[in-house]
Amino acid sequence: MIKAVIFDLDGTLLDTEKYFRICWPKAFEHFGYKMTDEQALYMRSLGRPFTQEFQKKISGDPNFDYEKVRSYRAELMEQLLAEKGLELKPGALEILSYLKEHKILRAIATASPVDRTVRYLERVGIQNSFDKIISARMVQNGKPAPDVYIFACEQLGLQPQNCLAVEDSPNGVLSAYRAGCKVCMIPDQDEPDPEISKLLYAKLPSLDKIAGVVNQE
């Protein structure tokens, strides 16, 4: 029985992943490095220390300063969001209302820091829709390691098999699956490959369709 739904943030609840895809390569270019679109896609939901290791490798620079590049990327993101606006993914309000009405717990498990997560949730008006907000900064390893989902389940007081994880990226799917959660993928920037597809409990076109998955249980 599904007693909680744990949502990824970027690309799942918020339509922000497309901006990370733009801003990471621009930040790399600003400091004289090159990042391909494929590499930017690979980093979706990738947590520390994996992001740092990956970026140092593709930069080819043994003295690569991850924090400096990340800080500039964050500036670019804020500028882009100020220009374009911050939007919820389709079906977000509907599914959060449905889960609350049916007394199913709601949580977030994200690679983003808590302060940024809360700030963005406030901007779209859903800051009070969750029982727990879990950041990968609270655990040793971010996604695709299982730590963040294991910790989220512990904070909810539930076994992973009773939690449905909702993700948009391969790294997120791997994290939730390795933790023992049922995994629902709502593809954002691309479709899952055959190996990721094998790990899914469900693949859906939008968030509101999660109600049907919960009802099956």
Side-chain angles (χ1 to χ4, degrees):
M1 181 178 178
I2 293 173
K3 298 180 179 179
V5 178
I6 307 173
F7 297 90
D8 172 54
L9 183 69
D10 293 291
T12 300
L13 281 172
L14 300 181
D15 194 13
T16 46
E17 205 64 75
K18 60 189 179 185
Y19 299 136
F20 281 102
R21 188 175 177 179
I22 294 169
C23 293
W24 271 123
K26 282 188 175 181
F28 251 55
E29 183 180 3
H30 178 77
F31 290 99
Y33 307 115
K34 183 177 180 181
M35 177 185 289
T36 66
D37 183 58
E38 184 179 14
Q39 289 167 337
L41 275 175
Y42 171 76
M43 289 197 307
R44 285 171 297 159
S45 290
L46 193 65
R48 297 185 184 190
F50 308 110
T51 304
Q52 292 162 289
E53 293 170 356
F54 177 71
Q55 292 192 7
K56 184 175 181 179
K57 179 180 178 180
I58 65 174
S59 75
D61 181 359
N63 299 312
F64 178 75
D65 190 335
Y66 169 76
E67 291 300 335
K68 184 183 291 185
V69 177
R70 180 188 173 279
S71 178
Y72 186 71
R73 190 274 301 156
E75 290 179 23
L76 293 177
M77 277 285 291
E78 291 302 321
Q79 292 170 12
L80 199 52
L81 288 172
E83 176 188 341
K84 302 290 187 181
L86 186 60
E87 296 181 344
L88 285 165
K89 296 288 284 185
L93 292 176
E94 291 85 347
I95 193 58
L96 290 171
S97 176
Y98 176 89
L99 295 174
K100 183 176 182 179
E101 181 182 335
H102 288 79
K103 296 181 171 54
I104 296 172
L105 297 176
R106 303 155 311 282
I108 287 177
T110 177
S112 295
V114 171
D115 58 345
R116 173 184 174 269
T117 299
V118 172
R119 181 160 48 88
Y120 282 11
L121 294 178
E122 287 175 345
R123 283 177 63 176
V124 294
I126 58 170
Q127 69 273 21
N128 297 319
S129 297
F130 302 94
D131 299 284
K132 297 289 180 181
I133 295 176
I134 307 300
S135 166
R137 307 296 178 90
M138 300 174 177
V139 297
Q140 184 171 356
N141 294 305
K143 303 172 186 180
D147 305 30
V148 67
Y149 275 103
I150 291 173
F151 186 59
C153 293
E154 289 173 352
Q155 291 297 299
L156 291 168
L158 296 172
Q159 294 298 313
Q161 61 265 30
N162 295 128
C163 298
L164 181 71
V166 185
E167 283 281 354
D168 71 290
S169 70
N171 288 314
V173 169
L174 285 168
S175 176
Y177 181 83
R178 290 166 176 169
C181 298
K182 295 179 172 72
V183 190
C184 171
M185 186 176 188
I186 302 176
D188 178 39
Q189 297 295 296
D190 60 3
E191 292 292 320
D193 64 25
E195 291 304 309
I196 291 295
S197 294
K198 291 176 184 177
L199 310 182
L200 301 178
Y201 186 72
K203 189 185 87 164
L204 301 173
S206 58
L207 289 164
D208 55 305
K209 303 299 182 184
I210 293 170
V213 177
V214 172
N215 281 335
Q216 289 175 3
E217 294 289 312

PDB file of all heavy atoms in Angstrom, residues 133-156:
ATOM      1  N   ILE A 133      10.651  18.018   3.664  1.00  0.00           N
ATOM      2  CA  ILE A 133      11.495  18.447   2.550  1.00  0.00           C
ATOM      3  C   ILE A 133      12.900  17.930   2.840  1.00  0.00           C
ATOM      4  O   ILE A 133      13.532  18.331   3.825  1.00  0.00           O
ATOM      5  CB  ILE A 133      11.502  19.970   2.391  1.00  0.00           C
ATOM      6  CG1 ILE A 133      10.107  20.466   1.995  1.00  0.00           C
ATOM      7  CG2 ILE A 133      12.541  20.400   1.354  1.00  0.00           C
ATOM      8  CD1 ILE A 133       9.982  21.969   1.905  1.00  0.00           C
ATOM      9  N   ILE A 134      13.361  17.034   1.995  1.00  0.00           N
ATOM     10  CA  ILE A 134      14.652  16.393   2.184  1.00  0.00           C
ATOM     11  C   ILE A 134      15.593  16.814   1.062  1.00  0.00           C
ATOM     12  O   ILE A 134      15.269  16.691  -0.121  1.00  0.00           O
ATOM     13  CB  ILE A 134      14.522  14.852   2.195  1.00  0.00           C
ATOM     14  CG1 ILE A 134      13.471  14.406   3.218  1.00  0.00           C
ATOM     15  CG2 ILE A 134      15.869  14.201   2.449  1.00  0.00           C
ATOM     16  CD1 ILE A 134      13.760  14.797   4.639  1.00  0.00           C
ATOM     17  N   SER A 135      16.757  17.301   1.449  1.00  0.00           N
ATOM     18  CA  SER A 135      17.783  17.684   0.483  1.00  0.00           C
ATOM     19  C   SER A 135      18.929  16.681   0.537  1.00  0.00           C
ATOM     20  O   SER A 135      19.253  16.143   1.608  1.00  0.00           O
ATOM     21  CB  SER A 135      18.318  19.079   0.808  1.00  0.00           C
ATOM     22  OG  SER A 135      19.517  19.344   0.100  1.00  0.00           O
ATOM     23  N   ALA A 136      19.555  16.459  -0.595  1.00  0.00           N
ATOM     24  CA  ALA A 136      20.728  15.577  -0.633  1.00  0.00           C
ATOM     25  C   ALA A 136      21.869  16.134   0.216  1.00  0.00           C
ATOM     26  O   ALA A 136      22.785  15.389   0.581  1.00  0.00           O
ATOM     27  CB  ALA A 136      21.193  15.391  -2.072  1.00  0.00           C
ATOM     28  N   ARG A 137      21.790  17.433   0.550  1.00  0.00           N
ATOM     29  CA  ARG A 137      22.804  18.024   1.425  1.00  0.00           C
ATOM     30  C   ARG A 137      22.726  17.453   2.848  1.00  0.00           C
ATOM     31  O   ARG A 137      23.643  17.636   3.643  1.00  0.00           O
ATOM     32  CB  ARG A 137      22.637  19.542   1.489  1.00  0.00           C
ATOM     33  CG  ARG A 137      22.603  20.241   0.126  1.00  0.00           C
ATOM     34  CD  ARG A 137      23.920  20.104  -0.626  1.00  0.00           C
ATOM     35  NE  ARG A 137      23.855  20.732  -1.932  1.00  0.00           N
ATOM     36  CZ  ARG A 137      24.161  21.980  -2.187  1.00  0.00           C
ATOM     37  NH1 ARG A 137      24.546  22.779  -1.204  1.00  0.00           N
ATOM     38  NH2 ARG A 137      24.094  22.463  -3.419  1.00  0.00           N
ATOM     39  N   MET A 138      21.613  16.776   3.162  1.00  0.00           N
ATOM     40  CA  MET A 138      21.422  16.198   4.490  1.00  0.00           C
ATOM     41  C   MET A 138      22.045  14.815   4.637  1.00  0.00           C
ATOM     42  O   MET A 138      22.072  14.264   5.735  1.00  0.00           O
ATOM     43  CB  MET A 138      19.923  16.101   4.806  1.00  0.00           C
ATOM     44  CG  MET A 138      19.180  17.410   4.797  1.00  0.00           C
ATOM     45  SD  MET A 138      17.397  17.124   5.021  1.00  0.00           S
ATOM     46  CE  MET A 138      16.781  18.801   5.077  1.00  0.00           C
ATOM     47  N   VAL A 139      22.511  14.244   3.522  1.00  0.00           N
ATOM     48  CA  VAL A 139      23.047  12.886   3.541  1.00  0.00           C
ATOM     49  C   VAL A 139      24.456  12.879   2.961  1.00  0.00           C
ATOM     50  O   VAL A 139      24.930  13.872   2.417  1.00  0.00           O
ATOM     51  CB  VAL A 139      22.136  11.916   2.757  1.00  0.00           C
ATOM     52  CG1 VAL A 139      20.762  11.833   3.426  1.00  0.00           C
ATOM     53  CG2 VAL A 139      21.986  12.345   1.302  1.00  0.00           C
ATOM     54  N   GLN A 140      25.114  11.740   3.062  1.00  0.00           N
ATOM     55  CA  GLN A 140      26.503  11.664   2.601  1.00  0.00           C
ATOM     56  C   GLN A 140      26.613  11.760   1.095  1.00  0.00           C
ATOM     57  O   GLN A 140      27.472  12.475   0.570  1.00  0.00           O
ATOM     58  CB  GLN A 140      27.147  10.367   3.090  1.00  0.00           C
ATOM     59  CG  GLN A 140      28.625  10.259   2.723  1.00  0.00           C
ATOM     60  CD  GLN A 140      29.292   9.082   3.396  1.00  0.00           C
ATOM     61  OE1 GLN A 140      28.697   8.370   4.191  1.00  0.00           O
ATOM     62  NE2 GLN A 140      30.571   8.868   3.073  1.00  0.00           N
ATOM     63  N   ASN A 141      25.762  11.026   0.385  1.00  0.00           N
ATOM     64  CA  ASN A 141      25.838  10.989  -1.069  1.00  0.00           C
ATOM     65  C   ASN A 141      24.489  11.329  -1.692  1.00  0.00           C
ATOM     66  O   ASN A 141      23.453  10.831  -1.249  1.00  0.00           O
ATOM     67  CB  ASN A 141      26.278   9.611  -1.563  1.00  0.00           C
ATOM     68  CG  ASN A 141      27.700   9.280  -1.160  1.00  0.00           C
ATOM     69  OD1 ASN A 141      28.627  10.031  -1.452  1.00  0.00           O
ATOM     70  ND2 ASN A 141      27.881   8.165  -0.470  1.00  0.00           N
ATOM     71  N   GLY A 142      24.521  12.178  -2.737  1.00  0.00           N
ATOM     72  CA  GLY A 142      23.303  12.498  -3.456  1.00  0.00           C
ATOM     73  C   GLY A 142      22.961  11.430  -4.478  1.00  0.00           C
ATOM     74  O   GLY A 142      23.580  10.364  -4.539  1.00  0.00           O
ATOM     75  N   LYS A 143      21.971  11.719  -5.285  1.00  0.00           N
ATOM     76  CA  LYS A 143      21.553  10.804  -6.338  1.00  0.00           C
ATOM     77  C   LYS A 143      22.704  10.631  -7.351  1.00  0.00           C
ATOM     78  O   LYS A 143      23.428  11.578  -7.592  1.00  0.00           O
ATOM     79  CB  LYS A 143      20.316  11.359  -7.046  1.00  0.00           C
ATOM     80  CG  LYS A 143      19.143  11.632  -6.115  1.00  0.00           C
ATOM     81  CD  LYS A 143      18.019  12.370  -6.835  1.00  0.00           C
ATOM     82  CE  LYS A 143      16.908  12.771  -5.880  1.00  0.00           C
ATOM     83  NZ  LYS A 143      15.805  13.490  -6.544  1.00  0.00           N
ATOM     84  N   PRO A 144      22.931   9.430  -7.894  1.00  0.00           N
ATOM     85  CA  PRO A 144      22.077   8.242  -7.907  1.00  0.00           C
ATOM     86  C   PRO A 144      22.241   7.292  -6.729  1.00  0.00           C
ATOM     87  O   PRO A 144      21.674   6.205  -6.755  1.00  0.00           O
ATOM     88  CB  PRO A 144      22.499   7.557  -9.207  1.00  0.00           C
ATOM     89  CG  PRO A 144      23.955   7.866  -9.321  1.00  0.00           C
ATOM     90  CD  PRO A 144      24.082   9.272  -8.809  1.00  0.00           C
ATOM     91  N   ALA A 145      23.034   7.664  -5.713  1.00  0.00           N
ATOM     92  CA  ALA A 145      23.087   6.853  -4.493  1.00  0.00           C
ATOM     93  C   ALA A 145      21.711   6.875  -3.820  1.00  0.00           C
ATOM     94  O   ALA A 145      20.951   7.831  -3.988  1.00  0.00           O
ATOM     95  CB  ALA A 145      24.156   7.393  -3.548  1.00  0.00           C
ATOM     96  N   PRO A 146      21.369   5.861  -3.044  1.00  0.00           N
ATOM     97  CA  PRO A 146      20.029   5.776  -2.455  1.00  0.00           C
ATOM     98  C   PRO A 146      19.828   6.623  -1.203  1.00  0.00           C
ATOM     99  O   PRO A 146      18.699   6.711  -0.692  1.00  0.00           O
ATOM    100  CB  PRO A 146      19.902   4.289  -2.109  1.00  0.00           C
ATOM    101  CG  PRO A 146      21.301   3.847  -1.835  1.00  0.00           C
ATOM    102  CD  PRO A 146      22.163   4.638  -2.791  1.00  0.00           C
ATOM    103  N   ASP A 147      20.886   7.261  -0.706  1.00  0.00           N
ATOM    104  CA  ASP A 147      20.854   7.905   0.613  1.00  0.00           C
ATOM    105  C   ASP A 147      19.671   8.835   0.838  1.00  0.00           C
ATOM    106  O   ASP A 147      19.019   8.797   1.886  1.00  0.00           O
ATOM    107  CB  ASP A 147      22.146   8.709   0.839  1.00  0.00           C
ATOM    108  CG  ASP A 147      23.409   7.889   0.665  1.00  0.00           C
ATOM    109  OD1 ASP A 147      23.394   6.938  -0.135  1.00  0.00           O
ATOM    110  OD2 ASP A 147      24.420   8.211   1.312  1.00  0.00           O
ATOM    111  N   VAL A 148      19.404   9.710  -0.144  1.00  0.00           N
ATOM    112  CA  VAL A 148      18.376  10.735   0.055  1.00  0.00           C
ATOM    113  C   VAL A 148      16.992  10.105   0.186  1.00  0.00           C
ATOM    114  O   VAL A 148      16.157  10.573   0.990  1.00  0.00           O
ATOM    115  CB  VAL A 148      18.422  11.791  -1.070  1.00  0.00           C
ATOM    116  CG1 VAL A 148      18.026  11.204  -2.411  1.00  0.00           C
ATOM    117  CG2 VAL A 148      17.554  12.989  -0.728  1.00  0.00           C
ATOM    118  N   TYR A 149      16.719   9.038  -0.543  1.00  0.00           N
ATOM    119  CA  TYR A 149      15.414   8.375  -0.432  1.00  0.00           C
ATOM    120  C   TYR A 149      15.310   7.523   0.825  1.00  0.00           C
ATOM    121  O   TYR A 149      14.242   7.454   1.447  1.00  0.00           O
ATOM    122  CB  TYR A 149      15.121   7.548  -1.689  1.00  0.00           C
ATOM    123  CG  TYR A 149      14.509   8.388  -2.782  1.00  0.00           C
ATOM    124  CD1 TYR A 149      15.259   8.813  -3.867  1.00  0.00           C
ATOM    125  CD2 TYR A 149      13.182   8.798  -2.706  1.00  0.00           C
ATOM    126  CE1 TYR A 149      14.702   9.618  -4.856  1.00  0.00           C
ATOM    127  CE2 TYR A 149      12.614   9.607  -3.688  1.00  0.00           C
ATOM    128  CZ  TYR A 149      13.386  10.006  -4.759  1.00  0.00           C
ATOM    129  OH  TYR A 149      12.821  10.806  -5.720  1.00  0.00           O
ATOM    130  N   ILE A 150      16.393   6.902   1.214  1.00  0.00           N
ATOM    131  CA  ILE A 150      16.389   6.152   2.473  1.00  0.00           C
ATOM    132  C   ILE A 150      16.094   7.100   3.628  1.00  0.00           C
ATOM    133  O   ILE A 150      15.262   6.810   4.502  1.00  0.00           O
ATOM    134  CB  ILE A 150      17.745   5.443   2.676  1.00  0.00           C
ATOM    135  CG1 ILE A 150      17.910   4.307   1.663  1.00  0.00           C
ATOM    136  CG2 ILE A 150      17.855   4.899   4.106  1.00  0.00           C
ATOM    137  CD1 ILE A 150      19.287   3.663   1.676  1.00  0.00           C
ATOM    138  N   PHE A 151      16.757   8.259   3.618  1.00  0.00           N
ATOM    139  CA  PHE A 151      16.556   9.243   4.677  1.00  0.00           C
ATOM    140  C   PHE A 151      15.138   9.807   4.648  1.00  0.00           C
ATOM    141  O   PHE A 151      14.509  10.000   5.696  1.00  0.00           O
ATOM    142  CB  PHE A 151      17.582  10.364   4.535  1.00  0.00           C
ATOM    143  CG  PHE A 151      17.563  11.365   5.662  1.00  0.00           C
ATOM    144  CD1 PHE A 151      17.792  10.965   6.967  1.00  0.00           C
ATOM    145  CD2 PHE A 151      17.314  12.707   5.426  1.00  0.00           C
ATOM    146  CE1 PHE A 151      17.771  11.882   8.016  1.00  0.00           C
ATOM    147  CE2 PHE A 151      17.290  13.630   6.449  1.00  0.00           C
ATOM    148  CZ  PHE A 151      17.520  13.220   7.750  1.00  0.00           C
ATOM    149  N   ALA A 152      14.611  10.046   3.456  1.00  0.00           N
ATOM    150  CA  ALA A 152      13.241  10.564   3.340  1.00  0.00           C
ATOM    151  C   ALA A 152      12.239   9.574   3.925  1.00  0.00           C
ATOM    152  O   ALA A 152      11.315   9.972   4.657  1.00  0.00           O
ATOM    153  CB  ALA A 152      12.908  10.846   1.881  1.00  0.00           C
ATOM    154  N   CYS A 153      12.411   8.305   3.631  1.00  0.00           N
ATOM    155  CA  CYS A 153      11.504   7.282   4.172  1.00  0.00           C
ATOM    156  C   CYS A 153      11.608   7.216   5.690  1.00  0.00           C
ATOM    157  O   CYS A 153      10.593   7.087   6.391  1.00  0.00           O
ATOM    158  CB  CYS A 153      11.820   5.914   3.558  1.00  0.00           C
ATOM    159  SG  CYS A 153      11.479   5.788   1.790  1.00  0.00           S
ATOM    160  N   GLU A 154      12.827   7.316   6.201  1.00  0.00           N
ATOM    161  CA  GLU A 154      13.026   7.317   7.654  1.00  0.00           C
ATOM    162  C   GLU A 154      12.324   8.503   8.296  1.00  0.00           C
ATOM    163  O   GLU A 154      11.679   8.368   9.350  1.00  0.00           O
ATOM    164  CB  GLU A 154      14.520   7.356   7.973  1.00  0.00           C
ATOM    165  CG  GLU A 154      15.260   6.057   7.644  1.00  0.00           C
ATOM    166  CD  GLU A 154      16.763   6.195   7.817  1.00  0.00           C
ATOM    167  OE1 GLU A 154      17.249   7.344   8.036  1.00  0.00           O
ATOM    168  OE2 GLU A 154      17.459   5.169   7.741  1.00  0.00           O
ATOM    169  N   GLN A 155      12.441   9.672   7.686  1.00  0.00           N
ATOM    170  CA  GLN A 155      11.809  10.875   8.226  1.00  0.00           C
ATOM    171  C   GLN A 155      10.283  10.787   8.193  1.00  0.00           C
ATOM    172  O   GLN A 155       9.596  11.356   9.045  1.00  0.00           O
ATOM    173  CB  GLN A 155      12.277  12.104   7.443  1.00  0.00           C
ATOM    174  CG  GLN A 155      13.733  12.462   7.658  1.00  0.00           C
ATOM    175  CD  GLN A 155      14.024  12.836   9.095  1.00  0.00           C
ATOM    176  OE1 GLN A 155      13.470  13.796   9.623  1.00  0.00           O
ATOM    177  NE2 GLN A 155      14.887  12.079   9.753  1.00  0.00           N
ATOM    178  N   LEU A 156       9.762  10.058   7.227  1.00  0.00           N
ATOM    179  CA  LEU A 156       8.315   9.854   7.131  1.00  0.00           C
ATOM    180  C   LEU A 156       7.833   8.719   8.034  1.00  0.00           C
ATOM    181  O   LEU A 156       6.633   8.552   8.232  1.00  0.00           O
ATOM    182  CB  LEU A 156       7.922   9.549   5.684  1.00  0.00           C
ATOM    183  CG  LEU A 156       8.072  10.710   4.689  1.00  0.00           C
ATOM    184  CD1 LEU A 156       7.945  10.193   3.252  1.00  0.00           C
ATOM    185  CD2 LEU A 156       7.028  11.800   4.954  1.00  0.00           C
TER     186      LEU A 156
END
